[in-house]
Amino acid sequence: MLGVCMIFAAIGIETNFSAIDWCIVAVYLLGTAVIGLCVNRFVKSVGDYIVAGRAIKPYLGIATMIGTELGLVTVMYAAQKGFTGGFSAFHIALVAAIVTLAVGLSGFIVVPLRQMGVMTIPEFYEKRFGRGVRVFGGAILVASGVLNMGLFLKAGSIFVTGITGMTSPLALKLVLSGLLGLVLIYTVLGGMISVIVTDYVQFVVLSFGLIVSCIFAVNKLGWQTIIDTVTAQHGPAGLNPFHSDGFGIQYVIWMAFLGLVSCAIWQTAVVRACSAENPKVVKRMYSFSSVGFMVRFLVPNFLGICALVYICQTPALQSIFLPDDGNADSGMTLMAMPVFIGNILPTGILGIITAGMLAAFMSTHDSYLLCWSSVLTQDVIAPCFKDGLSNKTRLRLTRTFVVLIGLFLLLWGLWYPLGQDLWDYMAITGAVYSTGAFALLVFGIYWKRASSTGAYLALCSGGLAALGLKPIAELFNLNASAETVGLATIGLAVVTMVLGSLAMPNTRPAASEEN
Amino acid sequence: MAFWTTFWTVVLIIGVALFAVLSVVVTIGGWFDIRALFESIKAQHTQAESEDRDTSADRKAHSN
């Protein structure tokens, strides 16, 4: 991060970000935090805190689902994919929409989960496979989830640097620590109700902000120039996602699986299904959210493509973002989109968009912090106590974990060397949990013979996905791409689940079958 | 190449247009849902409090 700041200061890139924009950002963020704090009075039980009393109706469900998934980090990594992959990157958006719509229409996984009335996925593990699987699965889920959000702060700081031109590393750290502090305060106090209300506000600002940015971008660069530049830079691979010089078939299949994970297996999305009023609302939420799941990639992908075109037209930027050897640093490619936005949007609109993005940054943090800390409390700690834990103790524990995870994020964001596209890092850290969880959910719901032995084996297999992380792959001298490792892990998790279940079936029926 | 150019152009236009419509609908509908959420939670709390009161009254009656 320090290196990026120094390069940025040395070349002296200018942005349109002014004092007026800072004022807009400050007022907006404080306002959001105040709203988050005001709804604290509605929290009286763990149910209110974690699933908002299960009283969420469809429109609010859609807004919060998209609000959570369309965060600053999503915008950053999707824009990076557009920058490095061209129009081919749109396949990620398209596949995500198709998979989410299919889940919405069929109710695959999410409807049975809502019908069972669980709050978290590990709670399902217990009902289906027993308490041990719940604790083990919960621990893997939290480890994977916290690592997955480990670089959110880094992405946030790159965004702030790029869009505001703020080059002092100290000022940057202070701004981001302040943002994280605000999130921690209102998440600790307000729980899911404040998360939902702030997600709604963020959805409104960010959705309109992104549409306005697209209009400005096309207006500034011209549609034909965009297509011509992408073709010149990436060749056919910039348009055809199946082209072997670009993403390739394997990557597209991997994205289809990740589309399913994002909407039906990832706890932060599933918690929305569990908070819905009834299964019918769940189906409607998912069907409509398929548009949101598409756009959360599509629009930032497009902004990343526009950033590429803008940089190609600006020689001073070209030498930094597109070096002759073709190996641009992943930190720099992440910064391309905010630099572009900071240059094309006028003062005022830039402030509103930045505020929306930073609010999105906070909103994703609050949802994820709440999610992982409640899983830790409900699924890892509480089941270890024979007599259970009181409501008060659970609330206190959840709030403590929110703060501890927040501190971990500060340290991890500074320490970890990215070395690959942010999206690929997130896909692989998420796969540590999701590949095993996929097998447990699908077989647990739809196959009566699935046993706890199969579940343990599948969860352990999922852990192998960590081999797709660049530092770990280098450590073991592995040459396989992230998607190869991911797909192989899914296969292994499914095979171990089936073989383990057939070899060692459960002797007693699962709790869900007894009820 | 021409196929993919046309294809992605159509995907982008449809995607952004759908999102624009969805944003307007969800913004308006979500506002009413937030109000309904608060009313529903308030009602849940009131019901829980009255049940607590009933339970403690029953206990008192039994002990007498």
Side-chain angles (χ1 to χ4, degrees):
Chain A
M1 188 61 231
L2 193 70
V4 173
C5 282
M6 282 168 70
I7 294 168
F8 208 59
I11 54 173
I13 293 172
E14 287 179 5
T15 85
N16 298 334
F17 204 88
S18 68
I20 298 169
D21 297 308
W22 274 120
C23 293
I24 294 171
V25 170
V27 169
Y28 182 94
L29 293 184
L30 279 175
T32 312
V34 168
I35 293 171
L37 291 174
C38 283
V39 297
N40 180 33
R41 65 198 168 95
F42 289 99
V43 178
K44 289 191 177 165
S45 69
V46 175
D48 295 340
Y49 192 76
I50 296 175
V51 286
R54 291 194 204 276
I56 296 177
K57 289 180 185 293
Y59 292 119
L60 192 55
I62 295 163
T64 61
M65 206 158 161
I66 299 174
T68 303
E69 303 307 323
L70 184 71
L72 166 69
V73 182
T74 314
V75 174
M76 290 289 281
Y77 65 62
Q80 186 184 35
K81 273 288 167 209
F83 186 89
T84 56
F87 282 102
S88 296
F90 279 4
H91 81 272
I92 305 173
L94 197 59
V95 163
I98 294 168
V99 173
T100 310
L101 184 64
V103 169
L105 295 175
S106 64
F108 184 58
I109 297 177
V110 289
V111 164
L113 283 178
R114 176 63 189 88
Q115 280 168 337
M116 288 172 92
V118 294
M119 284 197 216
T120 62
I121 287 176
E123 212 179 318
F124 161 78
Y125 292 167
E126 178 170 4
K127 283 196 170 185
R128 184 64 182 81
F129 299 108
R131 185 159 291 190
V133 177
R134 177 183 186 167
V135 174
F136 186 56
I140 288 182
L141 170 57
V142 173
S144 159
V146 173
L147 278 180
N148 186 262
M149 68 184 295
L151 294 182
F152 283 13
L153 271 179
K154 192 171 191 162
S157 58
I158 289 176
F159 174 79
V160 174
T161 308
I163 207 156
T164 63
M166 184 194 279
T167 49
S168 156
L170 179 67
L172 200 61
K173 278 175 191 161
L174 287 176
V175 168
L176 286 159
S177 305
L179 285 178
L180 186 63
L182 268 179
V183 175
L184 289 178
I185 291 169
Y186 76 72
T187 311
V188 163
L189 294 176
M192 184 53 105
I193 300 175
S194 74
V195 165
I196 280 167
V197 175
T198 51
D199 273 359
Y200 169 76
V201 177
Q202 178 240 310
F203 165 82
V204 174
V205 174
L206 203 58
S207 52
F208 289 104
L210 284 175
I211 293 167
V212 168
S213 301
C214 281
I215 295 168
F216 267 93
V218 175
N219 206 28
K220 167 99 183 164
L221 302 169
W223 182 245
Q224 197 51 49
T225 314
I226 296 172
I227 291 173
D228 292 344
T229 312
V230 170
T231 315
Q233 280 293 321
H234 294 294
L239 291 168
N240 179 359
F242 302 108
H243 200 283
S244 54
D245 290 344
F247 291 102
I249 293 171
Q250 212 177 24
Y251 196 89
V252 177
I253 297 170
W254 176 228
M255 288 304 109
F257 174 74
L258 290 179
L260 178 68
V261 168
S262 302
C263 71
I265 296 175
W266 198 237
Q267 175 63 28
T268 51
V270 168
V271 77
R272 295 297 188 280
C274 299
S275 312
E277 229 178 358
N278 55 51
K280 208 174 150 192
V281 171
V282 174
K283 284 180 144 190
R284 272 178 73 186
M285 252 168 71
Y286 272 79
S287 301
F288 283 109
S289 292
S290 60
V291 178
F293 273 89
M294 174 166 77
V295 171
R296 79 182 183 122
F297 278 106
L298 193 72
V299 173
N301 276 164
F302 181 63
L303 291 175
I305 291 169
C306 292
L308 173 75
V309 177
Y310 180 76
I311 283 164
C312 286
Q313 290 176 350
T314 318
L317 296 177
Q318 207 172 352
S319 56
I320 300 149
F321 288 96
L322 298 166
D324 291 336
D325 62 1
N327 293 323
D329 174 68
S330 58
M332 292 309 293
T333 52
L334 261 179
M335 198 189 272
M337 184 273 292
V339 167
F340 167 66
I341 295 274
N343 274 274
I344 62 151
L345 292 181
T347 301
I349 291 182
L350 193 54
I352 295 170
I353 302 247
T354 307
M357 291 278 199
L358 291 179
F361 170 81
M362 291 163 66
S363 144
T364 309
H365 265 89
D366 63 24
S367 292
Y368 275 64
L369 282 169
L370 181 68
C371 179
W372 306 135
S373 51
S374 54
V375 169
L376 252 181
T377 306
Q378 299 282 103
D379 304 307
V380 182
I381 307 291
C384 299
F385 289 84
K386 251 189 174 176
D387 302 327
L389 292 173
S390 68
N391 255 349
K392 223 177 183 178
T393 314
R394 283 175 196 242
L395 267 177
R396 205 174 294 152
L397 265 177
T398 307
R399 286 169 167 161
T400 309
F401 287 134
V402 166
V403 176
L404 290 177
I405 294 172
L407 290 175
F408 169 80
L409 295 180
L410 260 180
L411 296 175
W412 186 259
L414 292 173
W415 174 80
Y416 184 83
L418 183 54
Q420 61 194 134
D421 276 3
L422 181 58
W423 169 235
D424 295 324
Y425 164 86
M426 293 189 61
I428 280 297
T429 47
V432 169
Y433 148 77
S434 63
T435 46
F438 169 75
L440 265 70
L441 283 166
V442 173
F443 288 93
I445 292 171
Y446 300 105
W447 191 43
K448 279 192 172 175
R449 294 179 69 181
S451 76
S452 48
T453 308
Y456 278 118
L457 289 172
L459 285 171
C460 292
S461 309
L464 292 175
L467 290 171
L469 287 173
K470 204 148 193 200
I472 297 181
E474 281 170 359
L475 192 71
F476 289 98
N477 245 343
L478 254 179
N479 229 351
S481 62
E483 59 270 24
T484 309
V485 174
L487 290 173
T489 314
I490 301 166
L492 189 67
V494 168
V495 168
T496 51
M497 166 56 105
V498 173
L499 292 182
S501 301
L502 292 175
M504 296 182 76
N506 282 348
T507 46
R508 281 188 314 155
S512 57
E513 286 167 29
E514 282 174 344
N515 298 332
Chain B
M1 294 268 272
F3 164 76
W4 286 110
T5 309
T6 315
F7 182 70
W8 293 132
T9 307
V10 171
V11 167
L12 183 67
I13 291 170
I14 291 177
V16 174
L18 275 175
F19 188 55
V21 173
L22 183 81
S23 300
V24 173
V25 173
V26 169
T27 299
I28 297 165
W31 174 254
F32 290 105
D33 283 359
I34 285 184
R35 288 172 57 179
L37 169 74
F38 289 146
E39 278 162 20
S40 159
I41 290 176
K42 261 187 204 168
Q44 282 178 23
H45 292 165
T46 316
Q47 197 186 345
E49 278 165 17
S50 67
E51 278 171 9
D52 281 353
R53 242 179 279 134
D54 291 347
T55 317
S56 55
D58 281 351
R59 263 193 218 134
K60 264 186 190 170
H62 279 295
S63 61
N64 290 336

